[in-house]
Amino acid sequence: MSQVLVDQGPDKGAIWHFGEPNQEQKFLAQGNAWADLSHRAIISIAGEDRLTWLHALTTQHLEKLAPNVWKEALILDPNGHIEHQFFLVDDGKTVWLHLDSEKKDDLINYLEKMKFMMRVEISDKSSEYSVFKTPGKTDELGGPYLILPKSEVSTKAKEFNNSAKQIGMWAIEAERVQAQRARLLFETDHKSIPNELGFLNRAVHMNKGCYRGQETVAKVFNLGQPPRKLVLLHLDGSMAEIPNHADEIQLLGKPVGFIGTAVRHHELGPIALAVIKRNTPEDATLNIKNITATIDI
């Protein structure tokens, strides 16, 4: 198989596709695909207080998390803006996180500062462990996921290849866009709050105690709608190019939002996740650098 690698952005160095991205997407939709996500960072958190500590720091309910149950979680700033996004699982002794590599150092630094007297031990395991998306229908977190030692990657890859097809990030991202799952560094900017991006009741537990930024989340949820919203756009398929991340979206010559992720889907054609002003009409024809787009309703 001929590998094409991602040459820039948070997924730099990962496999983009193996020469047949449409076929890869079909296998993924059927649940017969797997992906090596070793470009993502791995952090471990051991210690008796790991779950109660993470419960207090994040948007997720974690203090009674059962082993081998995956969760998505965010860490917000004091104003409710999204600073970190990660996926985690507890094995009974240690919590394992995977996240975008360029956010790893910032997250570790923050967690170290918040240890105080808690019995937790934070370690960067990126050089020792990898994460795979395993065969099976994609769940609401983009998994199922498996964290494994790098020494076992080759053996596990051979095992998966006996019954499934290895795919690249093109297929992974096309499915994510279709499912409207927002991703940090793509659908977020310096003022993003969870209410805008579909995180409530998934990465944000709505019935847990206090965490940093909760006031903003609760206020917007209880008193009104956020000023922006996440939408799926259908792009003009006659154009050879597709928009880039952060390209400005205009309506009648005025900016109304930005492109998060644009990709070619095997069934829907060119599509994109975008963050736009909430009052943008649902039947509007939008423009991104002379590429027209409509909102999926």
Side-chain angles (χ1 to χ4, degrees), residues 250-270:
Q250 295 187 348
L251 174 60
L252 302 176
K254 296 182 179 180
V256 294
F258 67 90
I259 292 291
T261 307
V263 68
R264 295 188 184 276
H265 189 274
H266 73 288
E267 290 183 337
L268 302 178

Side-chain angles (χ1 to χ4, degrees), residues 199-252:
F199 285 124
L200 304 189
N201 295 312
R202 192 181 78 221
V204 178
H205 196 285
M206 299 304 291
N207 295 309
K208 64 164 284 187
C210 185
Y211 56 86
R212 191 173 72 169
Q214 183 190 27
E215 295 83 359
T216 297
V217 174
K219 181 178 179 180
V220 174
F221 178 76
N222 291 319
L223 299 181
Q225 298 292 344
R228 304 184 300 179
K229 60 182 178 181
L230 182 74
V231 295
L232 176 65
L233 297 182
H234 294 275
L235 306 171
D236 179 3
S238 67
M239 305 293 288
E241 300 294 326
I242 59 175
N244 296 311
H245 166 67
D247 278 353
E248 183 178 85
I249 301 171
Q250 295 187 348
L251 174 60
L252 302 176

